[in-house]
Amino acid sequence: MEPKDSDKNDPGKGAVFTNMTEAQVAEQVKRDIDAVPFITGVNNHMGSRFTEDERLMRIVLNIAKTKNLFFLDSKTTSKSTGYRLAKVMDVKAGSRQVFLDNEEDVNYIKGKMLELVRIAKKKGSAIAIGHPYPSTIAALKEMIPTLNKDVDIITVSALIDSIKE
């Protein structure tokens, strides 16, 4: 989804933008979903501008609902309408608590993983997101055996399915 600074950060092929018509957004989202085998959910990678547009987010979330997909809000902006609107529309949803790799440094990422564990222990669950950077993968490989002793690491879809509201 379109970020606020799309001139510096290209969201990539298949992105949706706020200057698209509602029909164009719906068409692109359906193409994107169809391109991913065994898809269980959607996420607003980047999306700081797009998720602030409630009218267009309704289109995305309606498609997610009709395809029985969850929505994970990356919360790239405090003004995101994604999670709140998903709940109003009865779309399975979650939102991230920790962004793992704002810095591509193994020790930084390991610290974020420990932060995630603290939040999960306090609140009962927590969601992290990150990129497949070499530093992120290295930190995960190193930390997962240790973290599994403190918390259960499960998929986002399993967590969202387990939430009873």
Side-chain angles (χ1 to χ4, degrees):
M1 294 181 178
E2 176 184 8
K4 287 185 180 172
D5 56 354
S6 58
D7 55 324
K8 292 184 226 156
N9 292 295
D10 180 2
K13 185 177 185 238
V16 287
F17 294 87
T18 54
N19 64 356
M20 296 169 87
T21 66
E22 292 179 6
Q24 289 171 321
V25 168
E27 201 174 295
Q28 185 61 58
V29 169
K30 288 175 186 172
R31 275 197 306 269
D32 292 342
I33 289 169
D34 289 345
V36 181
F38 310 109
I39 188 171
T40 58
V42 295
N43 168 256
N44 61 284
H45 178 66
M46 295 185 174
S48 53
R49 183 176 312 280
F50 194 93
T51 58
E52 290 181 1
D53 190 317
E54 185 170 322
R55 177 182 59 90
L56 295 176
M57 280 304 300
R58 280 187 183 279
I59 295 164
V60 172
L61 293 170
N62 188 52
I63 293 167
K65 183 174 182 174
T66 61
K67 294 188 176 279
N68 197 32
L69 302 174
F70 68 81
F71 172 71
L72 175 61
D73 194 339
S74 294
K75 291 171 63 177
T76 54
T77 172
S78 61
K79 295 177 184 174
S80 173
T81 64
Y83 180 77
R84 177 192 57 78
L85 193 55
K87 289 303 190 184
V88 168
M89 294 174 65
D90 200 29
V91 175
K92 293 183 287 184
S95 63
R96 71 112 180 121
Q97 283 72 47
V98 175
F99 197 90
L100 295 175
D101 50 13
N102 278 327
E103 294 180 26
E104 291 184 53
D105 174 79
V106 172
N107 288 326
Y108 173 87
I109 296 164
K110 288 165 58 175
K112 291 305 224 171
M113 293 173 78
L114 293 172
E115 178 185 339
L116 181 71
V117 169
R118 285 192 295 276
I119 293 168
K121 285 182 170 183
K122 182 177 179 180
K123 295 188 173 195
S125 66
I127 297 172
I129 62 172
H131 297 89
Y133 298 141
S135 54
T136 307
I137 293 167
L140 288 168
K141 282 181 179 177
E142 189 175 329
M143 292 291 290
I144 284 178
T146 304
L147 298 180
N148 265 332
K149 295 174 186 172
D150 292 328
V151 294
D152 293 326
I153 298 173
I154 62 173
T155 63
V156 172
S157 57
L159 177 61
I160 288 173
D161 283 344
S162 73
I163 297 171
K164 306 286 186 250
E165 292 189 38

